[in-house]
Amino acid sequence: MVTPLEIFSGFSVDDIPAAKAFYGETLGLRISDGPMGNLDLELPAGGHVFIYPKEDHTPATFTILNLVVDDIDAAVDELNAKGVVTAIYDDPQLPTDEKGVLRGRSVDRGPDIAWFRDPAGNVLSVLQD
């Protein structure tokens, strides 16, 4: 059996300075420069995510990070005020309101969730359980 000393995830971006500004300033997360031109994103529970530059980066087609919040509407309003677009899906399978929030709690279909993209096009979400 594998006995890891630490576990972390990672994803690529095409512009490290833009990613650093987005994750650090726009989202207000703890981020620092890594030793190889990468970024280290510190998660609230103590884990880390490795954000690395990739010249031929292709945005992830799935949600790479989910940020759990106390108030989905306040979080979406704050993101929108900072220029982050949360209404990114127009899909009957993901029926979102004008803010881009899928109101899953009211129909017993999971959490209330809103998706948005980082500057590299990767999908993230804010969700309220």
Side-chain angles (χ1 to χ4, degrees):
M1 177 176 206
V2 175
T3 306
L5 299 176
E6 182 179 354
I7 297 174
F8 64 92
S9 183
F11 60 87
S12 69
V13 296
D14 55 2
D15 185 335
I16 288 289
K20 186 175 184 179
F22 180 78
Y23 288 95
E25 296 168 22
T26 303
L27 297 183
L29 303 175
R30 298 183 86 176
I31 193 151
S32 59
D33 295 318
M36 302 176 290
N38 62 291
L39 296 172
D40 178 58
L41 174 62
E42 184 179 332
L43 302 176
H48 293 264
V49 176
F50 182 80
I51 303 173
Y52 58 94
K54 188 170 185 236
E55 285 184 28
D56 62 345
H57 166 76
T58 301
T61 58
F62 52 88
T63 308
I64 61 165
L65 287 176
N66 296 286
L67 296 93
V68 180
V69 296
D70 287 330
D71 183 335
I72 189 83
D73 290 298
V76 167
D77 289 345
E78 185 177 336
L79 288 168
N80 292 166
K82 292 181 177 185
V84 177
V85 176
T86 52
I88 66 171
Y89 293 123
D90 182 19
D91 182 341
Q93 298 296 319
L94 298 170
T96 58
D97 64 16
E98 67 282 349
K99 285 185 169 187
V101 178
L102 182 134
R103 304 285 177 178
R105 292 171 35 175
S106 65
V107 293
D108 200 27
R109 190 177 171 206
D112 291 348
I113 185 169
W115 294 272
F116 57 98
R117 298 185 188 281
D118 73 2
N122 296 311
V123 178
L124 293 85
S125 81
V126 287
L127 65 92
Q128 181 179 341
D129 242 347

